[in-house]
Amino acid sequence: MEIKKILIAILSVCVLICASGCSEAERVNHNISRQAEYFECERRVTVYNARTDKVIMLIEGYINIETDTENKELVVTAKVGPSKYKKNYVYLTDYTLYVVDDISGTHTDPWHYKIYFDFKLPDIEVK
């Protein structure tokens, strides 16, 4: 019982130090990361072939990402239903890179999820 009280006291001190010593940006970054862990923000992961400058994969939805450096892969988990999830693995090489965009917004479908492979952007002419 005594150990439990000590742990609670230590945790309380850590929370107070962070609350008073963390910058606004640190708190916001922490909160956004936490929201992503609970599938509360919509994101888009774009995977590029850095050698050819082509998009080779795009995943969009309420997703969380993790990097597995041991296996050189990006793990993308998407919530696609009330208790339904999809997990995708992107193997990272010397010639692949990825970008994660926060595209939060509202959708009529709360289980919005899209995945594209080797997609080509249309030519756009600006006048």
Side-chain angles (χ1 to χ4, degrees):
M1 192 65 147
E2 189 65 32
I3 293 175
K4 189 175 181 180
K5 288 181 182 179
I6 292 171
L7 289 174
I8 290 172
I10 291 171
L11 183 61
S12 298
V13 169
C14 289
V15 168
L16 287 174
I17 289 171
C18 185
S20 62
C22 291
S23 70
E24 180 179 0
E26 288 170 322
R27 283 193 307 271
V28 169
N29 286 332
H30 172 77
N31 290 340
I32 289 172
S33 295
R34 240 184 110 143
Q35 284 180 305
E37 290 173 2
Y38 288 95
F39 306 99
E40 294 174 347
C41 56
E42 186 179 8
R43 301 161 111 188
R44 176 178 35 240
V45 176
T46 308
V47 182
Y48 297 92
N49 179 326
R51 186 178 245 179
T52 63
D53 294 334
K54 291 187 178 179
V55 174
I56 55 176
M57 184 178 192
L58 183 119
I59 303 172
E60 185 178 291
Y62 292 89
I63 59 177
N64 181 52
I65 62 165
E66 296 176 29
T67 51
D68 181 347
T69 53
E70 183 178 323
N71 294 317
K72 294 186 178 181
E73 63 189 13
L74 176 70
V75 181
V76 182
T77 308
K79 188 170 187 176
V80 296
S83 296
K84 189 174 179 185
Y85 303 87
K86 291 191 180 220
K87 193 170 193 176
N88 302 279
Y89 297 89
V90 178
Y91 294 96
L92 303 172
T93 67
D94 292 339
Y95 299 108
T96 53
L97 63 101
Y98 66 92
V99 176
V100 180
D101 300 311
D102 183 351
I103 56 171
S104 294
T106 57
H107 285 282
T108 55
D109 178 6
W111 317 123
H112 173 76
Y113 172 75
K114 293 180 182 180
I115 184 168
Y116 305 94
F117 289 95
D118 189 24
F119 105 47
K120 300 189 183 346
L121 296 173
D123 291 334
I124 298 173
E125 185 179 321
V126 179
K127 292 183 181 185

